[in-house]
Amino acid sequence: MPFLPKYLWPMFGKVCLFTTLLGLSVGMGTGQKPPENPEQPFVKCWEFEQSGRLSTAPVTDNGTVFLAESGGLVRAVNSETGQTEWSIELGGTVVSDLLLMGDNLYLVTTPTGDSDASVLRMVDAKSGIVRKTASISAARQIWLSIDQGGVMAAAD
């Protein structure tokens, strides 16, 4: 979702995708054409009512949009229809960005309350099943990155 600023996503508790006059399908495969009227620069492709505020910016694989909501809820939404493909309640708070690498979605959660550890999770991007977990030092904010085929975590 690099086309819209991060601050626009949690507005009104909805996630929307738009196409623009540039002739590009920002709606990721919606097949909709840009509007004929130049005074209407955006056309809504779909709308999704989320259950909580987003805890980080969504990521996409151009077929699915992955969202982390407050309360540790992570969901995959079909980018063409706006329908939820899967959701998983991980508990606590998602304290990292979402990192999509191959068929896996990586994220870090911290349990609610005082905790000395956070949990790095590898979630199957197609099914939402947690494949692996690793305990790491707790932090308020963690950034994930790919490093030589592995995942690197940096904390505040």
Side-chain angles (χ1 to χ4, degrees):
M1 296 297 154
F3 301 103
L4 292 176
K6 181 179 177 179
Y7 65 87
L8 290 178
W9 288 103
M11 293 179 67
F12 310 112
K14 297 179 181 181
V15 175
C16 301
L17 292 181
F18 298 91
T19 56
T20 68
L21 284 175
L22 300 175
L24 301 173
S25 180
V26 179
M28 293 171 285
T30 61
Q32 293 185 6
K33 295 182 180 179
E36 298 290 328
N37 183 353
E39 292 181 18
Q40 285 186 319
F42 298 104
V43 173
K44 186 186 300 184
C45 299
W46 53 264
E47 183 174 285
F48 173 79
E49 190 75 34
Q50 61 196 64
S51 60
R53 296 188 65 78
L54 295 181
S55 57
T56 188
V59 296
T60 182
D61 66 0
N62 287 328
T64 305
V65 179
F66 299 95
L67 308 166
E69 299 178 34
S70 59
L73 177 67
V74 178
R75 70 174 76 231
V77 178
N78 183 293
S79 65
E80 288 190 26
T81 66
Q83 298 297 311
T84 298
E85 293 178 354
W86 56 260
S87 66
I88 184 169
E89 175 61 55
L90 299 173
T93 304
V94 176
V95 294
S96 71
D97 53 340
L98 300 177
L99 175 65
L100 189 59
M101 188 168 82
D103 290 336
N104 298 309
L105 179 69
Y106 296 87
L107 59 114
V108 178
T109 59
T110 298
T112 303
D114 290 334
S115 178
D116 293 337
S118 293
V119 180
L120 171 63
R121 300 174 195 268
M122 180 176 81
V123 178
D124 183 286
K126 302 291 182 208
S127 67
I129 296 171
V130 177
R131 288 187 174 173
K132 293 184 181 179
T133 62
S135 181
I136 63 175
S137 296
R140 287 186 316 221
Q141 179 67 49
I142 297 175
W143 294 270
L144 300 176
S145 180
I146 300 170
D147 182 40
Q148 298 180 3
V151 175
M152 180 176 65
D156 59 354

